Amino acid sequence: MTNPAAVEDVPIGGDDIRLGQFLKFAGLLDSGGNVKEVIADGLVTVNGEIDRRRGRQLAIGDIVGFEGHRVRVSH
C-alpha cells in the first residue's frame, strides 16, 4: 500500500513549468479541460495551499497536491 503522505519527485527537464502543464505531465490528469475544472474548483494545492491559477509558474521544489497524491517538481 502507498503511503498517502509520500511525495513523488517528477523531473521536468527545466527550471519551471505552469501548474496546468505539470498536472498533465505528472500524470495526475489527462486533459486540459479536466485541469481547468479541478483548479477552478479549488481541488489542487501548491505547497499546501489551494491555488486556482492554472498558469501559476511552479519552480523546482514546489509540491503539488491532488486527490491524495503529492508530487514535487524536480530536475
Side-chain angles (χ1 to χ4, degrees), residues 2-49:
T2 304
N3 178 354
V7 177
E8 177 186 348
D9 285 330
V10 176
I12 61 169
D15 291 329
D16 58 14
I17 188 170
R18 289 191 306 270
L19 177 57
Q21 290 176 312
F22 184 71
L23 287 168
K24 291 188 290 185
F25 186 77
L28 297 177
L29 291 162
D30 58 1
S31 79
N34 289 343
V35 167
K36 184 177 181 178
E37 186 176 316
V38 300
I39 291 174
D41 288 346
L43 301 177
V44 176
T45 61
V46 177
N47 299 325
E49 296 188 12

Side-chain angles (χ1 to χ4, degrees), residues 39-60:
I39 291 174
D41 288 346
L43 301 177
V44 176
T45 61
V46 177
N47 299 325
E49 296 188 12
I50 293 171
D51 198 317
R52 290 186 166 94
R53 298 172 293 162
R54 186 175 58 175
R56 178 198 172 138
Q57 288 287 65
L58 300 175
I60 302 302

